[in-house]
């Protein structure tokens, strides 16, 4: 069969990376660096194999009075670099050794001299591609760079060790998310990014509108081609009057059918022109208004539209039909909060489960967090070691602890009592502790880091600080809500059992001063075939902060 041979199955390819000869990438003419250096023996067993490898030079230095050069090459497939040796007779070394240069090289894998940390190196005999870099202007030199500095070079920061490791960790957590829910029989549902929900949280929503661009277009057009004046309208009316008289005269004179038809046609054109002139005269520069307010009836959707803050309400419609579902996508908040914990665009994982109560919700959320922690330990250990070395030496121990420890579960009332005891014992918080407050990050972290020293699930919160859709408890003071608090970030997950009783949810909407009309579809889920159900939301970037120990949320999303 020659070139038509069947490629190895992915699972065989993975095995070959660990045990057999180093593999060519299935869709690229090179062997990924990971397939060479991330084997249990560091690649030593591959000595004698001929390979082609590509990547970007991390560091390069000429040796032996310029007779050869050492390059540390990385292609982003793993944190480790491949050591490449190029002789001066093969290529111009001065270009190759610059940090940031892209190379594609071919040669023989050899054992390096005893005592070096590398287990394998590539002796190059062909340089197939060089993407040169000007060291004078390249903004990512090999010196240690702060994460703040890298935020000013978003497009180049994936070339750094930290950001590429975060990208692989993020990728692993996304894969783990889908694996967890798929293994447990959940259906992945895509919820809309543009929503017309125009009440809850509207103050913190980004608006999606075409009114501004349409108004700008009209303003330009009216400058180039001004609207008709009163005189223009009068002239158009006179023309209609004249044409009308002509038709009347021709009919009275019993003119030929052809003459009358031609005259009627002229009158019709004059009327159409008058209609156009009158319509155009109504055009006003600026955004259209009606009764002193912006006229959203003229907007793209005929009403106000926003970027979504959550897919939960929409995904509930599927939970109330196909039972176990989840959505995983971008959400948006227009909060003027420029802290290290806030993003305007972030990703949320939101499962929803039918025939399930708050206890089931807590069980699912705990199992999901543990699954993700174990996944990183199994699949991303080299990247986690880099995080431990550079940012948070306790991050691996934290993953181990969370993946293997039962979470503490306490009612909100008990959590407040514990915090009040701490205050009496001399602990100072910026925000006062009393029953009824929404716990602040400092309170959450004190519970999980100082009191219990492990993840904590706080449940049964006061109804006044929670959303209308959370199920009212029998005490009529609290709702069946739960938050998972973890060391390092505080709240990681927020969830609840949803209110499935039609009369109760109607009353809750009214209590909160929200209009019923936009929620009629949501109420239908309770009117027709209601079912107890629950769900939660996990802020994906917060999970990455928790895992890596990085402090600023802008460093764990590709484009903050």
């Amino acid at each position: 069969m020659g070139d038509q041979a069947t490629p190895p199955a992915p699972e065989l390819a993975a095995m070959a990376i660990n045990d057999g000869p180093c593999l060519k990438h299935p869709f690229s003419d090179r062997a990924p660096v990971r397939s060479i250096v991330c084997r249990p023996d560091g690649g030593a067993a591959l000595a004698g194999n001929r390979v082609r490898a590509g990547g970007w030079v991390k560091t390069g230095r000429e040796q032996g009075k310029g007779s050869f050069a050492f390059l540390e090459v990385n292609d982003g497939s793993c944190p480790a670099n491949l050591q490449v040796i190029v002789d001066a007779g093969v290529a111009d070394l001065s270009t190759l050794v610059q940090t940031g240069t892209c190379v594609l090289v071919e040669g023989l894998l050899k054992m390096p001299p005893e005592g070096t940390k590398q287990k394998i190196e590539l002796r190059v005999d062909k340089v197939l591609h060089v993407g040169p870099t000007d060291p004078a202007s390249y903004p990512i030199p090999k010196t240690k760079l702060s994460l703040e500095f890298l935020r000013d070079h978003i497009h180049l920061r994936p070339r750094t060790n930290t950001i590429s490791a975060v990208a692989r960790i993020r990728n692993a957590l996304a894969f783990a998310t889908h694996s967890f829910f798929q293994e447990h029989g959940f259906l992945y549902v895509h919820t809309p990014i543009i929503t017309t929900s125009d009440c809850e949280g509207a103050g913190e929503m980004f608006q999606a509108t075409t009114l501004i661009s349409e108004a700008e277009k009209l303003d330009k057009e009216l400058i180039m081609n001004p609207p008709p004046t009163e005189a223009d309208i009068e002239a158009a009316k006179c023309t209609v009057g004249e044409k009308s008289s002509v038709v009347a005269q021709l009919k009275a004179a019993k003119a030929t059918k052809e003459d009358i038809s031609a005259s009627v046609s002229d009158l019709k054109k004059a009327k159409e022109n008058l209609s156009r002139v009158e319509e155009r005269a109504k055009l006003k520069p600026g955004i259209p208004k009606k009764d002193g307010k912006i006229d959203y009836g003229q907007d793209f959707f005929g009403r106000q539209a926003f970027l979504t803050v959550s897919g939960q309400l929409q995904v509930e419609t599927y939970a109330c039909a196909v039972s176990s579902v989840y959505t995983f996508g971008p959400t948006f908040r227009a909060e003027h909060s420029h802290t290290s914990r806030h993003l305007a665009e972030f990703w949320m994982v939101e499962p929803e489960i039918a025939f399930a109560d708050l206890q089931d919700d807590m069980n699912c959320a705990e199992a999901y967090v543990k699954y993700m922690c174990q996944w990183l330990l199994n699949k991303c250990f080299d990247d986690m070691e880099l995080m431990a070395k550079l940012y948070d030496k306790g991050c691996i121990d934290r993953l181990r602890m969370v993946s293997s420890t039962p979470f503490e579960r306490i009612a909100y009332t008990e959590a407040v009592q514990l915090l009040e005891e701490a205050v009496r014992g001399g602990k100072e918080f910026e925000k006062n502790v009393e029953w009824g407050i929404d716990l602040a990050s400092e309170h959450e972290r004190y519970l999980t880091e100082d009191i219990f020293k492990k993840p904590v699930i706080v449940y049964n919160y006061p109804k006044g600080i929670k959303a209308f859709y959370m199920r009212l408890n029998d005490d009529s003071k609290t709702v069946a809500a739960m938050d998972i608090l973890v060391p390092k970030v505080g709240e990681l997950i927020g969830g609840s059992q949803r209110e499935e009783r039609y009369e109760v949810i109607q009353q809750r909407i009214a209590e909160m001063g929200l209009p019923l009309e936009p929620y009629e579809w949501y109420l239908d889920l309770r009117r027709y075939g209601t079912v107890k159900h629950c769900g939660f939301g996990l802020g994906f970037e917060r999970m990455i902060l928790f895992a890596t120990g990085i402090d600023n949320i802008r460093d764990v999303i590709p484009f903050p």
Side-chain angles (χ1 to χ4, degrees), residues 447-480:
L447 286 166
T448 177
E449 291 171 13
D450 296 270
I451 296 181
F452 293 106
K453 296 180 172 53
K454 63 176 176 174
V456 179
I457 307 181
V458 178
Y459 61 92
N460 290 349
Y461 279 80
K463 69 174 182 179
I465 58 171
K466 290 294 182 184
F468 73 88
Y469 50 74
M470 299 189 177
R471 193 181 202 278
L472 194 64
N473 286 326
D474 295 342
D475 62 11
S476 294
K477 289 196 313 189
T478 61
V479 288

Side-chain angles (χ1 to χ4, degrees), residues 167-380:
R168 288 186 294 270
I169 289 167
R170 187 182 174 100
N171 168 68
L173 288 171
F175 196 165
T177 293
H178 288 297
S179 295
F180 175 82
F181 289 112
Q182 295 294 330
E183 282 171 21
H184 290 92
F186 284 69
L187 202 69
Y188 178 34
V189 175
H190 298 128
T191 50
I193 285 172
I194 297 176
T195 164
T196 52
S197 161
D198 53 0
C199 338
E200 195 204 356
E204 292 172 358
M205 296 171 90
F206 285 103
Q207 198 165 334
T209 178
T210 56
L211 289 179
I212 296 166
S213 56
E214 290 296 330
E216 284 174 346
K217 236 188 278 177
L218 179 63
D219 290 356
K220 275 185 200 160
E221 208 263 325
L222 290 176
I223 291 165
M224 307 271 291
N225 186 6
T229 60
E230 284 295 325
D232 295 331
I233 297 169
E234 278 310 309
K237 281 179 179 172
C238 283
T239 306
V240 170
E242 287 164 8
K243 301 288 181 194
S244 208
S245 297
V246 172
V247 171
Q249 285 165 10
L250 287 170
K251 283 180 176 174
K254 294 194 166 49
T256 64
K257 196 175 176 187
E258 285 80 9
D259 287 351
I260 292 172
S261 291
S263 189
V264 167
S265 176
D266 286 348
L267 173 61
K268 192 179 170 193
K269 282 176 190 165
K271 282 180 173 174
E272 282 170 359
N273 181 55
L274 173 61
S275 177
R276 270 198 302 273
V277 169
E278 285 177 330
E279 272 306 305
R280 210 172 142 64
K282 289 179 195 167
L283 293 177
K284 298 277 183 290
I287 289 170
K289 299 252 173 107
K290 190 177 179 182
D291 305 329
K293 293 179 181 165
I294 292 173
D295 181 9
Y296 285 107
Q298 293 191 45
D299 207 348
F300 189 88
F301 296 105
R303 60 188 294 182
Q304 274 184 293
F306 303 94
L307 298 186
T308 184
V309 293
S310 161
Q312 180 216 311
L313 298 190
Q314 286 88 353
V315 91
E316 274 188 60
T317 64
Y318 274 75
C320 295
V322 295
S323 302
S324 299
V325 293
Y326 70 107
T327 184
F328 179 12
T331 52
F332 307 85
R333 294 266 160 94
E335 280 180 72
H336 287 288
S337 179
H338 299 291
T339 71
S340 61
R341 289 273 179 275
H342 284 88
L343 286 168
E345 177 186 346
F346 54 99
W347 285 62
M348 289 284 284
V349 178
E350 298 174 293
E352 203 70 28
I353 320 164
F355 308 100
D357 59 17
L358 186 66
Q359 206 63 37
D360 300 309
D361 206 29
M362 293 192 277
N363 293 345
C364 178
E366 178 172 341
Y368 169 47
V369 172
K370 287 180 164 172
Y371 186 96
M372 284 193 288
C373 292
Q374 193 57 52
W375 187 281
L376 286 183
L377 291 169
N378 293 349
K379 316 249 180 191
C380 263

Side-chain angles (χ1 to χ4, degrees), residues 75-223:
D75 65 356
S77 59
C78 64
N81 303 325
L82 174 65
Q83 180 160 289
V84 171
I85 300 163
V86 189
D87 287 328
V90 176
D92 172 14
L93 302 183
S94 62
T95 310
L96 293 184
V97 295
Q98 305 301 340
T99 297
T101 298
C102 180
V103 295
L104 180 65
V105 294
E106 197 175 291
L108 214 56
L109 290 170
K110 295 198 166 177
M111 298 284 279
E114 291 248 343
T116 54
K117 67 173 181 157
Q118 282 84 8
K119 300 285 190 289
I120 197 78
E121 61 189 22
L122 179 60
R123 284 297 186 117
V124 171
D125 51 38
K126 274 191 207 163
V127 174
L128 303 163
H129 167 78
V130 177
T133 289
D134 176 7
S137 60
Y138 184 55
I140 312 287
K142 62 185 175 191
T143 50
K144 190 169 179 358
L145 301 165
S146 73
L147 294 173
E148 290 76 19
F149 172 83
L150 291 175
R151 274 177 236 138
D152 293 331
H153 301 280
I154 289 287
H155 58 301
L156 291 171
R157 72 176 186 170
R159 296 194 187 179
T160 61
N161 294 338
T162 295
I163 301 299
S164 59
V166 168
R168 288 186 294 270
I169 289 167
R170 187 182 174 100
N171 168 68
L173 288 171
F175 196 165
T177 293
H178 288 297
S179 295
F180 175 82
F181 289 112
Q182 295 294 330
E183 282 171 21
H184 290 92
F186 284 69
L187 202 69
Y188 178 34
V189 175
H190 298 128
T191 50
I193 285 172
I194 297 176
T195 164
T196 52
S197 161
D198 53 0
C199 338
E200 195 204 356
E204 292 172 358
M205 296 171 90
F206 285 103
Q207 198 165 334
T209 178
T210 56
L211 289 179
I212 296 166
S213 56
E214 290 296 330
E216 284 174 346
K217 236 188 278 177
L218 179 63
D219 290 356
K220 275 185 200 160
E221 208 263 325
L222 290 176
I223 291 165

Side-chain angles (χ1 to χ4, degrees), residues 344-526:
E345 177 186 346
F346 54 99
W347 285 62
M348 289 284 284
V349 178
E350 298 174 293
E352 203 70 28
I353 320 164
F355 308 100
D357 59 17
L358 186 66
Q359 206 63 37
D360 300 309
D361 206 29
M362 293 192 277
N363 293 345
C364 178
E366 178 172 341
Y368 169 47
V369 172
K370 287 180 164 172
Y371 186 96
M372 284 193 288
C373 292
Q374 193 57 52
W375 187 281
L376 286 183
L377 291 169
N378 293 349
K379 316 249 180 191
C380 263
F381 198 75
D382 47 1
D383 288 311
M384 288 309 305
E385 283 180 316
L386 185 76
M387 293 296 124
K389 182 177 151 194
L390 297 179
Y391 297 100
D392 181 355
K393 59 182 189 294
C395 65
I396 291 174
D397 290 338
R398 191 165 58 241
L399 290 179
R400 285 189 176 126
M401 179 272 287
V402 172
S403 65
S404 61
T405 312
F407 293 8
E408 190 67 40
R409 298 187 185 191
I410 57 165
Y412 168 90
T413 303
E414 190 188 334
V416 169
Q417 286 165 356
L418 289 171
L419 292 167
E420 285 172 335
E421 271 173 41
V423 170
R424 285 195 292 275
K427 172 69 186 163
E428 287 182 14
F429 293 113
E430 279 179 31
K431 189 177 173 185
N432 276 344
V433 178
E434 58 181 353
W435 198 94
I437 63 157
D438 201 357
L439 298 180
S441 184
E442 56 175 341
H443 305 135
E444 293 167 345
R445 289 186 65 172
Y446 187 75
L447 286 166
T448 177
E449 291 171 13
D450 296 270
I451 296 181
F452 293 106
K453 296 180 172 53
K454 63 176 176 174
V456 179
I457 307 181
V458 178
Y459 61 92
N460 290 349
Y461 279 80
K463 69 174 182 179
I465 58 171
K466 290 294 182 184
F468 73 88
Y469 50 74
M470 299 189 177
R471 193 181 202 278
L472 194 64
N473 286 326
D474 295 342
D475 62 11
S476 294
K477 289 196 313 189
T478 61
V479 288
M482 65 94 181
D483 286 348
I484 294 189
L485 317 178
V486 293
K488 192 81 191 161
V489 297
E491 185 195 334
L492 179 64
I493 281 177
S496 70
Q497 184 174 339
R498 315 310 187 190
E499 183 55 79
E500 86 282 10
R501 297 164 295 185
Y502 176 71
E503 289 77 13
V504 180
I505 195 163
Q506 219 181 5
Q507 195 183 333
R508 291 280 287 142
I509 291 172
E511 267 174 29
M512 295 203 158
L514 295 172
L516 274 177
E517 187 270 323
Y519 295 106
E520 283 299 335
W521 65 270
Y522 192 66
L523 292 171
D524 276 352
L525 302 178
R526 281 78 183 161

